[in-house]
Amino acid sequence: MVVIRLARGGSKKRPFYNIVVANSAQRRDGRFIERVGFYNPIAAGAAEKLRVAQDRVSYWIGVGAQLSPTVARLVDDAKKAAVAAA
């Protein structure tokens, strides 16, 4: 099964997550198919906290990929932010 989930990066006590499309059998930070965005939970000031390629996420959902619960929440937040900005 293909899943869209977070892959952790960053250093100790400073998390940074890539939103990736991966085979569910792969490790959390292992091989992935495509990177579709990022999430920086400790972004401060003018730093960008969340970026999601909505077109790629919708493509992968269309071909059967499942969203993890956290990524589903982040995608909803990104959609709301895009609507508010427009």
Side-chain angles (χ1 to χ4, degrees):
M1 180 173 73
V2 176
V3 63
I4 302 174
R5 64 181 175 204
L6 297 176
R8 187 183 163 142
S11 59
K12 185 175 169 181
K13 306 287 185 181
R14 297 194 46 84
F16 184 88
Y17 299 95
N18 286 310
I19 302 172
V20 297
V21 179
N23 186 332
S24 62
Q26 295 296 325
R27 296 186 313 261
R28 178 193 71 180
D29 300 334
R31 186 182 317 163
F32 59 88
I33 300 169
E34 182 179 355
R35 179 179 176 266
V36 294
F38 68 83
Y39 171 56
N40 185 2
I42 59 171
E48 193 173 4
K49 186 171 184 143
L50 175 65
R51 183 186 304 164
V52 179
Q54 295 286 353
D55 58 333
R56 296 305 297 162
V57 170
S58 61
Y59 165 77
W60 282 107
I61 291 172
V63 295
Q66 300 290 312
L67 294 172
S68 73
T70 304
V71 171
R73 179 180 57 83
L74 292 173
V75 168
D76 286 342
D77 291 348
K79 283 182 186 176
K80 289 176 187 173
V83 169

